[in-house]
Amino acid sequence: MKNRNIILTLPCMCLALYAKAQFPDNGAHPVDEKAGNWWWYGWILLIAVAVVYWIIHSLQKRLKEEKIISAFATSLYGQKTVEDIFWDTAKNCVEKIGFIDCVVYQVDTARNLLLQKAAFGPKNPWRREIINRIEIPVGKGIVGSVAQTGKAEIIYNTAADPRYIVDDERRLSEITVPVWIDGKVFGVIDSEHPRRRFYKKYHLRVLKKISAICSERIAKYLAEDKLRSKIARDLHDEIGSTLTSINILSKVAMQDGLEKDKIKTYLQKIKDNSGSIMERMSDIVWAINPVNDSFDKVMLRMKEFAAEILESAGINYYFNEEGSLNKTQLNLEQRKDIYLIFKEAVSNAVKYSRATEVNVILQKENDRLKMTIIDNGNGFDAEAEYPGNGIKNMQNRAAGMHAILRIDSIKGTGTTVAIEVVIT
């Protein structure tokens, strides 16, 4: 404020000094033509000073804005859940921007409602409590309208806007900004003020940047949460049941009076199951490791597996690579599912097809990756029901990454397993 006052007084001081120089106190000298035009030079000087002031003031606002955004980004970096992100955002909107209140809503897609998830100001008297939590239908009120349209709004006078919904008390201006996740409105940041026209375009610009930071942090958390859930599900589905069977087999093998041949059979099953667990654990650990993000690492593991299983079975195999595969990056789920589909197809060829040759074709064109595994075995009826889970597992994995899976088989000719997936 002090710097602003100094800048505002500069034009007046300059004009006064100039006028004094043109009109001496004794008044003895006549005013020449240049002196008569002193006001013209004064206006030029005034404009120049005004431009300088505008530039300095804009830079100060921009610097202040960047400091606020930086503080928000730093504060949100340490938040681990969506709830933490919302509460931290509401608190910082009041403390760092100067709002008197802030409420953050989350969209409940199942009920088509906006739920108050965090607040700071009059609605938040203590810790993470919210007084009089309200639910707003999407499309109703100013907040609901922003959630429906996805467009931020400043309401300079809520008394003139029929959409306005009174919460804890009536206020005269409001600003509302959506939070986007994966192309959909995930939540809304809302603030109200008792003074008309309190919110400026500056506030809207800052709040939009804050919303973008929230979106990025929430999207990262949701992706990590989805990944943790998938890993937990894989561990449960693929390893839990096998460990249960090992436990049961161990108890049976330890029974008194059991014949040696039966004990040996149970121990062999325990050995096979434990080996299976080790293999599955190895696949999961490999898939999780970020070092293996490139498709080069996927192809290397495919070739290692093919060499191990096909060479021991006396089956010739060939890899044919087309397109810019070395530049392809896969996310964890794609990497894991593509490899496991390959592994399942090759294993089936070894176990059931009686093939003498397997061809693996890997193609990359634009944003699409295609993998084809062809064997010259005895084939099977692809429409028939089979007791194993091999085909079902491949279909589930393909569906999980929105890929196109095709299994073609002709008896006496061979089997082709092809999958095509969009790489994002």
Side-chain angles (χ1 to χ4, degrees), residues 110-178:
R111 300 164 58 200
N112 204 34
L113 292 173
L114 285 154
L115 311 177
Q116 291 183 335
K117 289 294 186 178
F120 201 80
K123 283 184 68 69
N124 171 233
W126 179 253
R127 294 185 179 177
R128 290 192 173 184
E129 294 182 5
I130 299 177
I131 295 175
N132 185 34
R133 288 179 186 259
I134 64 172
E135 300 177 351
I136 299 177
V138 173
K140 301 295 183 181
I142 295 167
V143 173
S145 296
V146 169
Q148 187 176 55
T149 64
K151 296 180 180 178
E153 290 192 43
I154 295 179
I155 308 302
Y156 296 108
N157 182 9
T158 59
D161 195 320
R163 299 175 301 169
Y164 180 70
I165 296 174
V166 178
D167 190 348
D168 56 319
E169 63 180 79
R170 178 175 289 278
R171 298 184 180 91
L172 296 178
S173 58
E174 184 172 359
I175 186 169
T176 308
V177 174

Side-chain angles (χ1 to χ4, degrees), residues 3 54-71 96 202 205-206 209:
N3 292 337
W54 179 81
I55 293 173
I56 293 174
H57 184 61
S58 297
L59 289 174
Q60 288 176 334
K61 285 184 67 177
R62 188 68 63 180
L63 180 60
K64 180 182 177 183
E65 180 180 323
E66 292 303 321
K67 284 182 178 179
I68 291 172
I69 299 304
S70 177
K96 292 181 171 59
Y202 159 78
R205 187 169 64 248
V206 170
K209 290 184 178 180

Side-chain angles (χ1 to χ4, degrees), residues 111-402:
R111 300 164 58 200
N112 204 34
L113 292 173
L114 285 154
L115 311 177
Q116 291 183 335
K117 289 294 186 178
F120 201 80
K123 283 184 68 69
N124 171 233
W126 179 253
R127 294 185 179 177
R128 290 192 173 184
E129 294 182 5
I130 299 177
I131 295 175
N132 185 34
R133 288 179 186 259
I134 64 172
E135 300 177 351
I136 299 177
V138 173
K140 301 295 183 181
I142 295 167
V143 173
S145 296
V146 169
Q148 187 176 55
T149 64
K151 296 180 180 178
E153 290 192 43
I154 295 179
I155 308 302
Y156 296 108
N157 182 9
T158 59
D161 195 320
R163 299 175 301 169
Y164 180 70
I165 296 174
V166 178
D167 190 348
D168 56 319
E169 63 180 79
R170 178 175 289 278
R171 298 184 180 91
L172 296 178
S173 58
E174 184 172 359
I175 186 169
T176 308
V177 174
V179 177
W180 289 84
I181 302 291
D182 294 334
K184 297 179 181 179
V185 176
F186 181 83
V188 173
I189 303 172
D190 181 70
S191 178
E192 297 182 14
H193 198 277
R195 194 170 77 233
R196 288 188 180 93
R197 306 192 69 84
F198 171 79
Y199 300 104
K200 312 298 181 187
K201 290 184 178 180
Y202 159 78
H203 293 125
L204 186 63
R205 187 169 64 248
V206 170
L207 213 54
K208 282 183 176 180
K209 290 184 178 180
I210 291 167
S211 171
I213 295 172
C214 287
S215 297
E216 182 181 357
R217 190 72 192 94
I218 292 170
K220 184 177 180 181
Y221 165 77
L222 293 176
E224 291 173 351
D225 187 61
K226 181 181 178 182
L227 176 59
R228 285 193 293 268
S229 299
K230 183 172 178 58
I231 292 171
R233 187 170 60 252
D234 287 346
L235 288 171
H236 178 271
D237 294 345
E238 298 186 17
I239 296 175
S241 60
T242 308
L243 286 174
T244 301
S245 67
I246 288 176
N247 181 265
I248 294 170
L249 289 169
S250 300
K251 290 179 180 179
V252 173
M254 291 173 65
Q255 289 179 356
D256 294 333
L258 203 63
E259 296 178 4
K260 288 185 178 180
D261 289 344
K262 288 186 177 181
I263 293 175
K264 187 176 180 180
T265 301
Y266 289 132
L267 290 176
Q268 182 63 46
K269 288 181 179 180
I270 291 172
K271 177 180 176 295
D272 293 342
N273 287 345
S274 60
S276 174
I277 287 178
M278 291 172 63
E279 185 179 350
R280 292 176 186 178
M281 279 296 298
S282 175
D283 290 340
I284 291 174
V285 171
W286 170 81
I288 293 172
N289 193 338
V291 174
N292 301 316
D293 282 351
S294 69
F295 197 70
D296 281 343
K297 297 294 179 69
V298 180
M299 288 191 294
L300 178 61
R301 191 167 178 87
M302 286 178 177
K303 290 175 181 179
E304 289 175 348
F305 177 76
E308 180 183 349
I309 191 170
L310 293 175
E311 287 180 7
S312 62
I315 299 174
N316 296 321
Y317 63 95
Y318 307 92
F319 277 82
N320 184 18
E321 301 159 21
E322 302 174 8
S324 55
L325 291 166
N326 60 325
K327 298 179 181 178
T328 302
Q329 295 289 319
L330 303 175
N331 62 40
L332 185 152
E333 293 184 21
Q334 290 172 332
R335 181 169 68 248
K336 180 173 178 288
D337 289 334
I338 287 172
Y339 173 70
L340 290 179
I341 288 173
F342 164 83
K343 189 175 177 181
E344 190 73 52
V346 172
S347 296
N348 287 343
V350 172
K351 292 177 183 177
Y352 309 116
S353 74
R354 296 181 183 177
T356 59
E357 184 175 295
V358 171
N359 284 280
V360 180
I361 303 169
L362 299 166
Q363 301 167 296
K364 171 72 186 307
E365 185 176 352
N366 298 325
D367 62 343
R368 293 186 175 274
L369 174 68
K370 186 175 182 181
M371 176 176 69
T372 308
I373 300 116
I374 306 169
D375 71 61
N376 65 345
N378 51 22
F380 65 97
D381 184 358
E383 301 298 324
E385 292 288 335
Y386 292 92
N389 293 321
I391 293 177
K392 188 182 294 184
N393 287 340
M394 285 193 285
Q395 291 171 338
N396 290 339
R397 294 188 187 283
M401 58 179 172
H402 306 290

Side-chain angles (χ1 to χ4, degrees), residues 68-79 88 213:
I68 291 172
I69 299 304
S70 177
F72 260 92
T74 302
S75 182
L76 287 176
Y77 181 78
Q79 308 308 317
D88 195 68
I213 295 172

